[in-house]
Amino acid sequence: MIRKYVFFISFMFGVMAFLLSAMPALANPKINDVRFGVYEEKTRLVFDLSEGIPFQLFMLPDPYRVVIDMPVVDWKLPPGSGTKGRGLIQGYRYGLFDKDTFRIVIDTKGPVVASKAFTLPKNKNKPPRLVIDFKTVSRQAFLDKSRKSLSRVKIDREVETVEKPPIADRAPRDKPVIVIDAGHGGVDPGAIGRKGTYEKTITLRAAKLLKSALEKTNRYKVILTRNRDIFLKLRERMNVARRAEADLFISLHADSNPNAAVRGASIYTLSETASDKEAARLARRENKADLIAGVDLSDEQPIVTSILLDLAQRETMNMSAKYASLVVGDLANHTKLLRNTHRFAGFVVLKAPDVPSVLVELGYLSNTKDEKLLKKKTHLSKLVEGIVRATNQYFRWRDGLQRS
Ligand SMILES: [Zn+2]
């Protein structure tokens, strides 16, 4: 009797396992095409769908954006779509916002609202469609509409605070923990190269290479902030490191510069004042990542302003600077570096008061030579090997300090 029962249970588990394994067959809805219609009084944007998709829409000012959230879809348009808009639309970005949400952020020319948004069912030879009409309004009307649209949708405004003991009071661990942050992702592509390379793709590739190279040494526990093409808020990236009580946080980027001649890798650490104009410009760009993904930050407090005077932060900044100088020292022998390669600025993602943090710009996507190199695995591996050597040096130095 009992045996039969056990058999029945295991049979049921077998059936469930089969059903679960069969589940991915339920494919995501698809977005197959996009079309613009430019009229005198409005611009119409039409997405061709594989099936009806529920959506939420809201608007954000400064800069003016219309944001559309929907369940996860497969984007079937060619890469690079969205960079050029028409009519009242400047362009748009798209990608995962979180694991359940696909987001499209539409940049408009001035205060432009979505005056109508609806889906149409399949009709004869036309597929299901998502239709949005855009109309120019006054700034005041835009702000009113924006407020109303925000009150209708659920936006995650949770601000996480992580309390951690200072570095010195932490229990010893057998391996240092390193958090690697692949910059940008999902709806935020980061910089876009002259040949259309996305920064978010390069940083993820480099992060995975760096993770496996560090793990190969058998000396570190390595955590990635993201391991796929998904958006993460700057503060979430930092909190991954804080939660893990990381010994080191490395944020990887590959940015762009209006001057196409600028090239080479560089490394940045946090400071109250930027060391030069370029560092300040980069920090401004990188700090905009949340804005680019259409996150409404208006009700969040300005992030960490006075903690810079905190002792823990001072110690952390010194450790970060030491690590940065070791990376620069190594990379200088193997790759092209920017002049004054170690720079300082107010990068939000580096503001964990208790985790030594650096931001590595692997190169400039705005430079054709750099863009070509950054697409090559051999080049990324060369940069990664340099970072691994510097990391080994850094922890030897740090552990020497702690022993003496
Ligand atoms: Zn970046």
Side-chain angles (χ1 to χ4, degrees), residues 183-184 190-191 199 203 252-255 282 285-286 359 361:
H184 311 276
E199 182 181 358
T203 60
L252 299 175
H253 291 261
D255 245 296
L282 260 175
R285 261 189 72 97
E286 297 294 3
L359 188 143
E361 293 285 353

Side-chain angles (χ1 to χ4, degrees), residues 53-64:
I53 300 174
F55 67 94
Q56 278 192 326
L57 184 149
F58 58 94
M59 292 155 247
L60 296 170
D62 310 317
Y64 296 111

Side-chain angles (χ1 to χ4, degrees), residues 111-340:
V112 167
V113 295
S115 56
K116 273 186 205 153
F118 53 93
T119 50
L120 287 171
K122 185 172 154 52
N123 175 13
K124 283 179 200 155
N125 45 12
K126 284 187 173 163
R129 280 145 291 160
L130 167 62
V131 180
I132 309 150
D133 283 344
F134 296 86
K135 224 175 77 187
T136 300
V137 295
S138 69
R139 175 170 171 86
Q140 194 50 53
F142 181 94
L143 293 178
D144 291 346
K145 268 242 175 191
S146 159
R147 216 169 299 120
K148 262 186 220 145
S149 70
L150 283 168
S151 67
R152 277 199 307 270
V153 298
K154 199 186 139 274
I155 299 177
D156 175 21
R157 287 211 180 76
E158 214 171 279
V159 180
E160 197 175 349
T161 50
V162 184
E163 292 304 327
K164 290 288 173 206
I167 296 169
D169 299 343
R170 283 183 202 159
R173 289 178 293 195
D174 53 336
K175 282 180 185 177
V177 176
I178 301 175
V179 171
I180 305 168
D181 173 46
H184 311 276
V187 63
D188 167 23
I192 300 174
R194 313 214 127 209
K195 295 256 161 15
T197 313
Y198 286 153
E199 182 181 358
K200 66 175 182 179
T201 315
I202 302 294
T203 60
L204 185 56
R205 215 174 280 160
K208 285 179 176 171
L209 283 175
L210 180 54
K211 181 176 192 278
S212 65
L214 284 169
E215 280 170 345
K216 230 193 246 160
T217 67
N218 225 353
R219 298 188 202 184
Y220 311 107
K221 184 177 175 224
V222 186
I223 299 169
L224 295 180
T225 55
R226 66 177 179 99
N227 60 8
R228 60 191 181 124
D229 186 14
I230 191 165
F231 172 75
L232 274 181
K233 282 190 214 167
L234 292 173
R235 200 189 300 241
E236 279 167 9
R237 297 169 188 272
M238 187 178 101
N239 281 343
V240 171
R242 299 200 71 201
R243 270 196 299 272
E245 300 191 356
D247 297 273
L248 186 61
F249 176 82
I250 306 169
S251 189
L252 299 175
H253 291 261
D255 245 296
S256 77
N257 189 293
N259 177 357
V262 176
R263 60 176 298 224
S266 51
I267 183 159
Y268 296 80
T269 57
L270 181 67
S271 83
E272 289 159 90
T273 47
S275 56
D276 56 90
K277 266 197 200 143
E278 170 65 358
R281 193 194 63 81
L282 260 175
R284 265 200 310 278
R285 261 189 72 97
E286 297 294 3
N287 292 347
K288 270 194 193 147
D290 287 351
L291 203 67
I292 281 165
V295 181
D296 181 30
L297 289 170
S298 51
D299 59 346
E300 287 188 18
Q301 298 141 8
I303 299 170
V304 198
T305 43
S306 57
I307 61 158
L308 290 181
L309 300 168
D310 189 72
L311 265 181
Q313 183 94 41
R314 283 258 175 260
E315 186 199 350
T316 306
M317 282 162 74
N318 290 338
M319 306 281 277
S320 309
K322 173 69 183 179
Y323 179 72
S325 70
L326 290 171
V327 175
V328 168
D330 190 287
L331 287 185
N333 296 324
H334 300 92
T335 53
K336 171 140 182 61
L337 292 177
L338 267 183
R339 240 183 303 166
N340 309 320

